Amino acid sequence: MELIKEMLSYPFIIRAFIVGILISLCAALLGVSLVLKKFSMIGDGLSHVSFGALSIAVALGIAPLKLSIPVVVIAAFFLLKITENDRISSDAAIAVMSASALAAGVLVTSFTSGMNMDVYSYMFGSILAMSREDVRFSVILSAAVLILFFFCYHKIFAVTFDESFARASGVDVSFYNSLLAILTAVTIVIGMRMMGAMLISSLVIFPALTAMQLFKSFRGVVICSGCLSVVCFCVGLSASYLCSAPAGASIVIANLCGFLVFRFLRMVFGRNV
């Protein structure tokens, strides 16, 4: 208890918990649809685009979020448009954009400031990077994601599993795909400050895959994914503080442990819910 009180006595730790819990929840909820649509690696691609934009922002002395959010949102739209073309698969489009953006970020960094602490924190994450602005963005983002899933659950369900049926039912598929892309892009940009470009995609992929080990229904996977992501984040960040380990890596390991536990439970009890 004394260690927990000591940990929560630091304002930056409290900000990290608030931002991390909200971002983990958003990433997990959005990740369910992305994983089921076989678009799970969009998190990895957009994080590399965000790193490229952040590198340019640092080089030009611009506020990172003001440049990276619109750039990543545009990139998400671009990916959607590319994947609508049957000749280019989603994984190939993400790989091309990811490699190109990362290369651009590395080149800009090498020609300007070099690998300083700002760039390093964007690559691998830092809980010290969380600001009051990040907290405000996280609250607004989480409210938008929760409203989307609460009021548009059936439409999200239809778009996730069968876009043709959704169109036939009168659902504006392009609008909901675009909305998912925008919310995912903003989630990636904000979460990258803590997790880093190399690890942020784990918050999108792990919770959904873990929940799918025991749950069969879309609602069950969504609820379990959100709860599990928050729990794994809290465990990972606490372990990071107690063991003086990198926060992003600790959170990923916590998610991995959760996945292995759920996988074992599936082998023992099966998947029934």
Side-chain angles (χ1 to χ4, degrees), residues 4 156 165 212 225:
I4 295 175
I156 295 295
F165 172 77
M212 288 175 192
S225 177

Side-chain angles (χ1 to χ4, degrees), residues 49-163:
V49 173
S50 182
F51 172 74
L54 289 166
S55 298
I56 294 172
V58 170
L60 298 177
I62 303 172
L65 288 180
K66 292 181 180 178
L67 179 64
S68 57
I69 287 179
V71 168
V72 176
V73 168
I74 292 170
F77 275 115
F78 187 61
L79 280 175
L80 282 178
K81 293 300 179 183
I82 289 179
T83 53
E84 287 176 0
N85 186 340
D86 292 335
R87 290 184 295 180
I88 303 178
S89 61
S90 60
D91 58 342
I94 291 170
V96 169
M97 181 170 288
S98 174
S100 302
L102 189 59
V106 171
L107 282 176
V108 170
T109 300
S110 64
F111 287 138
T112 54
S113 59
M115 188 61 75
N116 56 28
M117 284 306 297
D118 285 337
V119 177
Y120 182 87
S121 68
Y122 290 133
M123 285 287 286
F124 301 104
S126 172
I127 58 174
L128 297 175
M130 295 298 100
S131 64
R132 289 184 175 86
E133 185 182 19
D134 293 319
V135 174
R136 288 193 292 269
F137 269 116
S138 302
V139 171
I140 295 170
L141 175 65
S142 60
V145 172
L146 290 173
I147 288 170
L148 174 66
F149 273 84
F150 186 79
F151 290 103
C152 305
Y153 171 80
H154 295 291
K155 293 178 180 178
I156 295 295
F157 176 85
V159 170
T160 299
F161 284 97
D162 193 336
E163 291 189 0

Side-chain angles (χ1 to χ4, degrees), residues 1-40:
M1 287 299 295
E2 291 299 322
L3 284 173
I4 295 175
K5 289 180 180 178
E6 177 188 338
M7 181 172 63
L8 295 178
S9 66
Y10 298 105
F12 73 90
I13 290 285
I14 295 175
R15 287 196 297 271
F17 266 108
I18 294 172
V19 173
I21 287 171
L22 295 177
I23 292 298
S24 297
L25 179 62
C26 293
L29 296 180
L30 295 168
V32 174
S33 289
L34 295 174
V35 169
L36 290 171
K37 288 165 71 69
K38 302 187 187 304
F39 215 51
S40 55

